[in-house]
Amino acid sequence: MPTTQEPPTVSPIGRDTPRVDGPRKVSGQAQYTADFHFPGMLYAVPVGATIACGRIVELDTTAAEKMPGVRAIFHRGNIGKIFRSTPGQGFEGICEERRPPFEDDIVRYYGQYIALAVADTFETAKAAADAVRATYAEEKPNVETHLEADDDPDVVMTTFGPRHRLDSQRGDAEAAFASAPVKLDQTYVTPSETHNPLEPHATTAMWDGPMLTLYESSQGVVNLRSVLAQMFGLPNENVRVITKFVGSGFGSKLWPWTLSPLAAAAARQLGRPVRLVLPRKMMFHSVGHRPRTQQRVRIGATPEGKLVSLQHDYIYQRSMLDAHHEDCGEATPFQYSVPNLRVTFGRAKRNIGAGADMRGPGAIPGMYATESAMNEMAHQLNIDPVKFRIMNEPKIDEGLGLPFSSRHLLECFQLGTEKFGWSARNPVVGSMKRDGLTLGWGMAGCAWIAARFAAAATVQLRHDGTARVACATQDIGTGTYTNLAQLASHKTGVPLDKIEVALGDTSLPEGPVSGGSLATASIVPAVLAAADNAIASLMTIATATPGSPFENRKPDDLAFEEGRVFVKADGGAKGVPFADLLKRANLGLVSGSGKSEPTFGNPKPKFSTHSFGCHFVEVTWQPEIARLRVSRVVTVIDAGRILNPLAGRNQIEGAVVMGIGMALLEHTSYDPQNGAPINSSLADYIVAVNADVPPIDVHFLDFPDKEINELGARGIGEIGLAGIAAAITDAVHHATGVRVRELPVKIESLLA
Ligand code: MOS
């Protein structure tokens, strides 16, 4: 007979679910990387090069070494061996900057680490780092903003493997463009942008004999482990990476950076834990940025508005040694129906740090260009931009020649136009007014990949009626703790507040990176299977335990719902809580493991899997004082089933905020004299803040995508940033008559 009464639970899937880690965050109990303290811990501060191109001739560390409290000044001569790392087969060992720190005396970008001061306190380490003197043989750096493609071979090696520079091709785009009745040929430019998560990059490294442990602010602990194992010549099992909370990353913490091996090497030399937290200024140097892009888009169309050709040729900047691939053409081959298409890319080396994934890498700058071109073409054709897109809606993914697993872009347009009131738009530039302000209305579509990374998880049902779910993925602020708890609760019936979630630790079952908006979709099958397996073990125990109410039954006769086991034929009312069955068998817990098979990078997919959406934007323009504001945004997203609409809306709102920043504010400028990022502070690198942001009206369609996982959930971290800048610049044109094709929109560009 049941001895405990659990309230009946409802699955939290699809319900607004407040973050399970929220109370820990607001009460200060959530431990971010720099919150962990260790006995004897030392503090490290890097010394960055003050040139962007040249060679270190002399490094004078004498004054720094003499300072009281300084333990060591590390440099090329005394850091000890740090090996290179290399990618493994599949999606493993990814790294954006392969050169180990201090490998040679060549400086290739401003801020490149040339030394590391380690001291008893942070203040001493900082003073010592400042006291290191470097003499350089300096050459003029190349930080030229105009991009011409380097003379690269047809197939280039990138961070993500070999890529053909002819991205995609069908028909004869050149010839079709030449004979097209209506043509558009424009070039769009997006600047370097720098990730500015609230929490800077942080790492604390410590050794216990041959075992290396890193507390790190990481979006991918498993990948970081494999890269570090290579860099120190260790088996993977000897390296443990722990990331309990991340103060966001936007992609900057997705792949390893050189600060981590530096801290580990310093800790190895000194036999003490070493903590390294980057100052904000260094966040602009050596931990990635969204590369500058220059994208030529050519569209040919019939006067009626049917696309006949689309060419997208993009160039992006990269660092001297590394090959981050900014995949601007990702969405181009499938977003619209067009018989003739060609997408190519080129790269231009610059004396800057390695580029990196930044929220919606590739497709976000890419769709700014292609969606802007679509808007311009619609304007040229005198066709409404929504109607123009509907006229060119594809039936299948014409790039892959595959059906979409689920594409409801037309429904997005329908809902978006309704919610925004788009039918009231007068297309004449400057014609719409309200309260003395000129209004501009613009829109754009968007798309983002959907897939699964490999993932493994365990679920435990415990004798006290609680459950535990574990997966070595991370919560970068997006709600993964909550998603894991929701999934475990969904299957086990254990209420959310009785589920322990363990993540961010390589000692747990291997989980996915928090990247590509793929983490949620990836963990679903693993957690659900793990819970099923735990429940199956429970059934066996229920039938095998002497004195169990189900002693003479077969496991197949039993069912499990809402935390109770019952005989199928009897129905759920007579269920016995799992905790009772475990206690009766003197078991602390039953455990189940589950795996998700990856679909990301599948060379032979059956479907094209993407999320879709659209933005409708209103800006207000006051020509008298040159004041431009985004005053209204409606965003509709088709991302399959939304597991947690509350956190989901947060994601899209955050992405739209970032999109306002992308369109109007964000850019990193490099000094042509010394190659330094000039605006390398939060005072000078302007991001959108509350005062820049109007109410954002977010809607999700609800079309579960069963190709992705059994719940039909795709991902939502990045798609909200796709297309928004194109919608804003089109609204700016509608209000002002000025076409801005280089982001961000500057007020001076709007002054007639
Ligand atoms: Mo996102 S740029 O894949 O962290």
Side-chain angles (χ1 to χ4, degrees):
M1 282 288 102
T3 54
T4 50
Q5 285 297 325
E6 295 285 352
T9 53
V10 222
S11 168
I13 297 295
R15 292 171 186 275
D16 282 348
T17 307
R19 284 153 200 263
V20 297
D21 52 325
R24 271 184 287 166
K25 282 188 167 174
V26 296
S27 62
Q29 292 172 72
Q31 283 186 291
Y32 293 79
T33 296
D35 293 329
F36 289 93
H37 294 272
F38 303 94
M41 187 176 76
L42 302 173
Y43 296 80
V45 172
V47 180
T50 55
I51 63 165
C53 183
R55 202 167 44 80
I56 304 165
V57 176
E58 199 198 331
L59 203 62
D60 182 359
T61 58
T62 332
E65 276 162 355
K66 283 195 192 125
M67 295 171 88
V70 170
R71 296 286 172 150
I73 308 296
F74 289 110
H75 48 80
R76 185 160 144 67
N78 64 359
I79 190 69
K81 187 69 195 163
I82 308 176
F83 296 101
R84 276 185 174 253
S85 66
T86 190
Q89 297 306 302
F91 208 61
E92 199 194 309
I94 308 285
C95 184
E96 300 273 25
E97 183 174 351
R98 286 285 178 196
R99 175 186 174 276
F102 308 162
E103 191 184 44
D104 55 29
D105 285 330
I106 300 170
V107 176
R108 297 175 180 86
Y109 63 88
Y110 188 98
Q112 178 185 314
Y113 305 140
I114 57 169
L116 183 77
V118 184
D120 292 338
T121 66
F122 169 75
E123 290 75 11
T124 306
K126 174 77 173 73
D130 290 346
V132 171
R133 291 282 166 269
T135 312
Y136 304 98
E138 188 178 1
E139 290 165 45
K140 185 158 173 50
N142 179 358
V143 293
E144 170 63 43
T145 52
H146 180 77
L147 304 180
E148 304 271 356
D150 293 338
D151 190 16
D152 275 323
D154 291 346
V155 177
V156 293
M157 187 49 84
T158 77
T159 302
F160 311 107
R163 292 295 297 251
H164 205 297
R165 290 177 52 208
L166 176 58
D167 255 354
S168 186
Q169 176 163 244
R170 58 182 181 258
D172 186 342
E174 204 115 329
F177 180 74
S179 62
V182 188
K183 296 179 212 216
L184 175 123
D185 181 354
Q186 291 295 352
T187 296
Y188 302 87
V189 173
T190 64
S192 293
E193 293 178 341
T194 302
H195 320 72
N196 270 290
L198 209 52
E199 180 203 29
H201 287 61
T203 185
T204 302
M206 64 205 79
W207 292 81
D208 181 3
M211 310 297 286
L212 169 64
T213 301
L214 260 94
Y215 285 75
E216 170 97 16
S217 182
S218 171
Q219 291 178 240
V221 293
V222 173
N223 182 75
L224 178 56
R225 173 181 62 180
S226 75
V227 170
L228 283 168
Q230 291 186 51
M231 296 188 92
F232 290 94
L234 298 169
N236 274 2
E237 298 75 27
N238 285 26
V239 181
R240 184 176 174 198
V241 180
I242 298 166
T243 299
K244 286 302 171 191
F245 285 89
V246 182
S248 197
F250 304 120
S252 65
K253 297 168 181 169
L254 201 42
W255 314 118
W257 294 110
T258 47
L259 76 155
S260 311
L262 261 191
R268 178 177 60 184
Q269 302 296 75
L270 294 167
R272 298 272 204 103
V274 170
R275 175 195 287 173
L276 198 174
V277 179
L278 282 192
R280 181 62 60 179
K281 199 173 191 63
M282 285 191 169
M283 296 285 290
F284 286 80
H285 299 156
S286 46
V287 286
H289 62 277
R290 194 198 291 281
R292 184 179 184 85
T293 75
Q294 190 177 295
Q295 306 174 55
R296 184 178 182 193
V297 182
R298 278 169 285 181
I299 300 180
T302 66
E304 297 74 34
K306 183 71 198 83
L307 292 175
V308 297
S309 76
L310 173 57
Q311 286 159 279
H312 186 188
D313 302 294
Y314 61 96
I315 306 173
Y316 55 80
Q317 75 185 176
R318 66 163 175 137
S319 67
M320 287 295 161
L321 290 182
D322 292 284
H324 165 77
H325 179 54
E326 190 67 19
D327 193 5
C328 298
E330 200 264 324
T332 314
F334 65 78
Q335 189 69 339
Y336 298 108
S337 176
V338 56
N340 304 289
L341 172 136
R342 192 178 142 95
V343 183
T344 72
F345 74 87
R347 316 178 298 173
K349 279 187 183 173
R350 294 291 181 265
N351 287 108
I352 49 174
D357 290 325
M358 180 166 171
R359 200 176 198 170
I364 265 77
M367 293 198 92
Y368 159 66
T370 52
E371 288 297 294
S372 292
M374 286 295 284
N375 285 334
E376 288 199 53
M377 182 50 113
H379 187 76
Q380 203 173 318
L381 292 164
N382 203 18
I383 298 176
D384 178 87
V386 179
K387 193 172 160 218
F388 181 47
R389 286 170 171 84
I390 294 171
M391 287 174 69
N392 292 288
E393 171 71 7
K395 292 199 166 53
I396 62 164
D397 177 331
E398 295 176 3
L400 295 174
L402 291 174
F404 292 106
S405 59
S406 176
R407 171 169 164 130
H408 296 277
L409 184 57
L410 298 185
E411 290 94 327
C412 290
F413 289 146
Q414 192 182 342
L415 188 62
T417 50
E418 274 170 31
K419 295 288 176 191
F420 190 82
W422 183 257
S423 61
R425 182 178 190 256
N426 179 342
V428 176
V429 164
S431 64
M432 294 180 69
K433 309 272 183 191
R434 189 180 64 219
D435 302 334
L437 305 171
T438 305
L439 300 183
W441 285 10
M443 62 81 56
C446 61
W448 184 251
I449 49 167
R452 292 192 311 263
F453 291 126
T458 55
V459 169
Q460 294 180 334
L461 296 170
R462 303 192 286 207
H463 70 100
D464 58 359
T466 66
R468 178 180 189 266
V469 54
C471 177
T473 187
Q474 308 67 220
D475 189 333
I476 59 171
T478 46
T480 306
Y481 272 110
T482 311
N483 287 155
L484 283 164
Q486 283 181 297
L487 292 166
S489 177
H490 171 70
K491 276 283 179 182
T492 64
V494 176
L496 292 170
D497 62 358
K498 291 193 172 172
I499 294 177
E500 180 196 345
V501 180
L503 53 68
D505 185 336
T506 51
S507 66
L508 303 172
E510 285 194 17
V513 292
S514 301
S517 305
L518 305 187
T520 302
S522 306
I523 61 178
V524 168
V527 177
L528 297 186
D532 279 340
N533 286 331
I535 291 164
S537 294
L538 180 74
M539 302 297 206
T540 307
I541 289 153
T543 54
T545 306
S548 158
F550 308 108
E551 193 181 346
N552 297 317
R553 302 282 183 171
K554 292 192 189 72
D556 282 354
D557 295 339
L558 304 182
F560 180 95
E561 266 174 31
E562 295 176 6
R564 290 158 182 268
V565 177
F566 56 92
V567 178
K568 279 179 197 163
D570 295 350
K574 291 195 180 164
V576 180
F578 69 80
D580 290 7
L581 295 168
L582 293 176
K583 278 184 218 154
R584 205 181 288 266
N586 191 28
L587 290 171
L589 52 87
V590 278
S591 189
S593 302
K595 268 167 63 169
S596 301
E597 294 303 325
T599 65
F600 186 81
N602 178 0
K604 288 192 178 148
K606 287 204 193 88
F607 292 93
S608 166
T609 51
H610 294 85
S611 286
F612 301 95
C614 58
H615 305 278
F616 291 82
V617 169
E618 178 186 271
V619 299
T620 61
W621 170 238
Q622 287 170 272
E624 303 82 2
I625 56 168
R627 188 173 204 245
L628 179 75
R629 312 282 295 167
V630 175
S631 50
R632 206 153 63 86
V633 179
V634 172
T635 295
V636 185
I637 299 293
D638 161 33
R641 189 160 182 208
I642 305 300
L643 298 189
N644 182 0
L646 183 64
R649 278 193 301 277
N650 287 168
Q651 282 302 298
I652 301 302
E653 287 166 357
V656 169
V657 172
M658 211 161 159
I660 293 171
M662 178 183 178
L664 304 181
L665 303 165
E666 288 197 46
H667 68 287
T668 308
S669 299
Y670 297 89
D671 187 330
Q673 295 304 315
N674 64 5
I678 298 169
N679 52 339
S680 55
S681 73
L682 283 179
D684 297 315
Y685 184 91
I686 312 296
V687 297
V689 295
N690 285 355
D692 301 300
V693 178
I696 302 166
D697 187 16
V698 176
H699 299 271
F700 290 115
L701 301 186
D702 188 20
F703 293 99
D705 186 344
K706 294 297 173 73
E707 287 304 318
I708 288 287
N709 50 53
E710 66 180 271
L711 296 179
R714 296 199 293 252
I716 40 171
E718 284 155 300
I719 185 165
L721 182 51
I724 180 90
I728 292 172
T729 50
D730 201 43
V732 167
H733 172 261
H734 185 224
T736 67
V738 180
R739 278 284 175 207
V740 177
R741 300 187 185 92
E742 177 167 347
L743 295 183
V745 175
K746 296 192 181 77
I747 289 304
E748 51 267 40
S749 310
L750 305 181
L751 299 174

